[in-house]
Amino acid sequence: MYLIGLTGGIGSGKSTVAARMVERGARLIDADAVAREVVQPGRPAYSDIVAAFGAEVVGADGALDRTALGRIVFADDQQRALLNRFTHPRVGEEIAARLAALSEFPGLVIVDVPLLVEAGQDRGYRAVVVVATQPETQVARLVADRGMDESDARARIAAQATLDKKLARATHVIWNEGTLDELRRRTDEVIDELTAAASGA
């Protein structure tokens, strides 16, 4: 297993890069997907969150209303820290279990972690790939593609580590300020470099 951390700010195009890496044969552990799983009804984190934040964060179907919860935690650092205390340890445990299951895989294993820099965790990554986008581009994408209002978009970006801090952790940078084809070409270049490193070339 050649372990790679993948990160990037919201609206950076990180999911597109991750999907391309999977197309090229990498195995992917998506921390966001794991985070959604650990807060499903019946899981301990769900009970903790509802007890702390109240019924207003529960949707009609009984699952967490992520939009309502997001409005609370992205407007208040203390509330966000409380949510992280409920979720981060459980996400970490699940990722560790999935990595253990992939320990004999001979190729690239990507851990897609939006908060890789913020969490300060290093799982022994052989490389850290940052998908980089200027903040104003992030805002424009979140407004156009996800229907966020501008203030919400800026609050979510501000809640994450700055671009400079992400770039300081990077061994490989994929800038995404151009077209989808340009993003795919640069992603393929990075995959080729990582594959060569994994094979000892």
Side-chain angles (χ1 to χ4, degrees):
M1 174 173 68
Y2 195 86
L3 188 61
I4 298 157
L6 173 66
T7 194
I10 185 172
S12 66
K14 181 174 55 60
S15 296
T16 301
V17 170
R20 181 59 178 167
M21 290 179 162
V22 170
E23 287 176 9
R24 291 284 308 273
R27 297 290 187 270
L28 175 68
I29 299 172
D30 182 339
D32 268 352
V34 173
R36 288 191 289 273
E37 291 173 22
V38 302
V39 298
Q40 290 299 311
R43 303 286 290 267
Y46 173 89
S47 302
D48 290 341
I49 291 167
V50 174
F53 294 98
E56 67 186 279
V57 300
V58 179
D61 60 356
L64 287 180
D65 181 335
R66 293 171 64 84
T67 302
L69 184 59
R71 278 196 295 267
I72 295 170
V73 302
F74 286 108
D76 186 321
D77 289 345
Q78 288 185 323
Q79 297 282 60
R80 189 165 66 255
L82 179 62
L83 175 65
N84 290 344
R85 198 157 69 241
F86 296 144
T87 58
H88 283 185
R90 280 132 179 172
V91 170
E93 290 166 6
E94 180 63 26
I95 290 174
R98 296 186 186 193
L99 285 172
L102 287 168
S103 62
E104 300 303 316
F105 179 70
L108 305 182
V109 175
I110 313 295
V111 184
D112 178 346
V113 189
L115 302 181
L116 184 150
V117 173
E118 293 85 343
Q121 282 187 330
D122 187 341
R123 296 180 176 277
Y125 300 120
R126 307 291 292 278
V128 173
V129 178
V130 171
V131 185
T133 309
Q134 296 294 346
E136 290 306 315
T137 305
Q138 290 176 263
V139 171
R141 287 178 183 158
L142 293 173
V143 171
D145 300 341
R146 303 196 195 181
M148 289 186 189
D149 64 54
E150 185 175 330
S151 61
D152 187 24
R154 292 188 184 280
R156 287 174 183 256
I157 292 166
Q160 297 183 337
T162 64
L163 179 58
D164 284 346
K165 287 181 179 177
K166 290 185 174 73
L167 292 175
R169 282 292 308 275
T171 59
H172 297 74
V173 179
I174 299 174
W175 278 100
N176 183 22
E177 291 283 343
T179 66
L180 182 58
D181 282 345
E182 289 169 338
L183 177 62
R184 287 170 67 91
R185 279 197 297 273
R186 175 57 184 151
T187 300
D188 282 344
E189 290 173 359
V190 169
I191 294 169
D192 290 343
E193 291 171 13
L194 293 170
T195 300
S199 65

